[in-house]
Amino acid sequence: MEQRRRIGAYGVLGDADGRVLLARGSAGCPYPGVWQLPGGGLKHAEHPAAAVVREFAEETGLAVRVTGVRDAVADVATFRDAGVIVHTDRLVFDVEARGGELRPEPAGGSDELRWFTPDEAAGVPLMPFTAELLGLPVAPLPRDLPRALPPAHAAPPATDRRQRFAAYGLVTDPADRVLLTMIAEGYPGAGRWHLPGGGTDHGEQPAAGLLRELVEEAGQLGRVVDLMAVDNLHNPAALGPEGRPLDWHSVRVIYRVRVDAPTEAVVTELAGGSTARAAWFAPERVSRLRMTEVAARATGRSGW
């Protein structure tokens, strides 16, 4: 079956009574009758935070403001009639309402909106990522639930337009050294020091993908401490090993990672050629390095 990737942005909006707003899938969405956090897929080059604001307006009628990033999760769904397996990376933000009037979007993705306490939400069919975010047991969706690819995802993406999801880490050890990797020749940013990490594999959770990359790029075993930020990069003329410009849209989640028992940083053969070197740096040396923009922000050289 054909494998495809998509990225979605979703919002957790609570009220004064401790309830969370959920939207029920309409007949035209992939999971009709199933409740989830309001949100949906990113447009090409769209920042995830902007996407959740847009999706809230379309799906609920509410104007919201993003107040923080809550989580990054991934799941895989099989659409057998279309012969497609879709991996969705889902970014979940905390949001607050700034205006608007609550109403569903029957012609779009939601035919009903409702405020739920966690106990009340446990009594309705939930998308697994929503159940997990609400701290509820995750149950598989009914096997007989109708599933159909929405029109926006019925065709594969354009060949020279790419959307990529990646996970990177601000990696430190007990001496507060920072682990960085140098980008190899032939890749965008070659010669600059970068955060360890990279693109996640199909079916892989973001945090797990980062820890795998940490082993491949530097030979280190780490543990994820928390999610720092979401970074968005659109380069419509990125030139990499393909040898021609590609319209790249990269969404990157940045984690804090701790290596409790650091060893000499060594790039392994599994790194695939994009990493030339890896090294630990004392904090006072980091500010003098030639770094990528995202590495500079993560290490405090410039703000997010």
Side-chain angles (χ1 to χ4, degrees), residues 173 175-179 279-289:
D173 70 359
D176 288 330
R177 294 185 303 171
V178 177
L179 180 68
W280 289 100
F281 294 95
E284 61 272 15
R285 290 190 59 199
V286 170
S287 62
R288 300 194 295 269
L289 298 174

Side-chain angles (χ1 to χ4, degrees), residues 12-21 114-118 120 134:
V12 179
L13 176 64
D15 68 3
D17 297 320
R19 300 176 300 175
V20 174
L21 183 66
R114 195 188 306 173
W115 296 96
F116 288 90
T117 65
E120 291 169 342
L134 295 177

